[in-house]
Amino acid sequence: QVQLEESGGGSVQAGGSLKLSCKASGVTRYDLNRYCLGWFRQPPGKEREGVANIDSDGDTTYADSAKGRFTISRDHREKVLYLQMNNLTPEDTAMYYCAADKPPCSAATLAAVGTWGQGIQVTVSL
């Protein structure tokens, strides 16, 4: 059973950057390599939304709010998923979660049946 743990969150001023990490355990590199991985977030008082996902081939999909500012990547050897976030705004303030599931790879599938981390807080202030 894959387990996920996020790190790298915190507080930053608008215009700053953060890099989130999500370490996977309970799964071999071989198996995890086949997984779809993704990042979600839940802003205060709002519903959870997809941010980005990446499939086993490295193909990526981004929410409109993330395009041009965020980059999702994965390290197959270390079994880590990353989210580089640049030019952050207060609207990016949220609890961020990573998720994993077997193919097919989509935010909807991850949201419905994926395995989730506990989440990590990102706060962006003016």
Side-chain angles (χ1 to χ4, degrees):
Q1 177 74 18
V2 62
Q3 296 177 325
L4 303 171
E5 183 175 7
E6 301 93 341
S7 62
S11 298
V12 65
Q13 288 190 321
S17 298
L18 281 175
K19 187 173 185 178
L20 304 182
S21 300
C22 174
K23 177 71 174 177
S25 60
V27 62
T28 66
R29 291 191 190 96
Y30 175 80
D31 286 336
L32 187 65
N33 285 351
R34 299 182 292 117
Y35 273 59
C36 172
L37 304 175
W39 288 98
F40 292 75
R41 68 185 184 184
Q42 187 165 15
K46 297 183 179 180
E47 293 187 353
R48 186 177 59 194
E49 59 187 20
V51 176
N53 52 270
I54 184 168
D55 68 13
S56 58
D57 293 326
D59 294 328
T60 58
T61 302
Y62 293 92
D64 288 343
S65 60
K67 289 178 181 176
R69 299 188 302 128
F70 294 2
T71 302
I72 188 171
S73 61
R74 62 195 294 171
D75 185 325
H76 290 285
R77 179 182 296 272
E78 299 298 327
K79 297 190 293 183
V80 180
L81 175 71
Y82 298 103
L83 185 68
Q84 176 68 48
M85 304 185 293
N86 299 326
N87 194 22
L88 287 161
T89 73
E91 288 68 37
D92 296 313
T93 294
M95 186 72 79
Y96 283 72
Y97 301 87
C98 60
D101 193 39
K102 296 177 182 178
C105 193
S106 72
T109 302
L110 285 170
V113 298
T115 296
W116 293 77
Q118 293 297 309
I120 194 161
Q121 180 67 38
V122 170
T123 302
V124 185
S125 58
L126 290 172

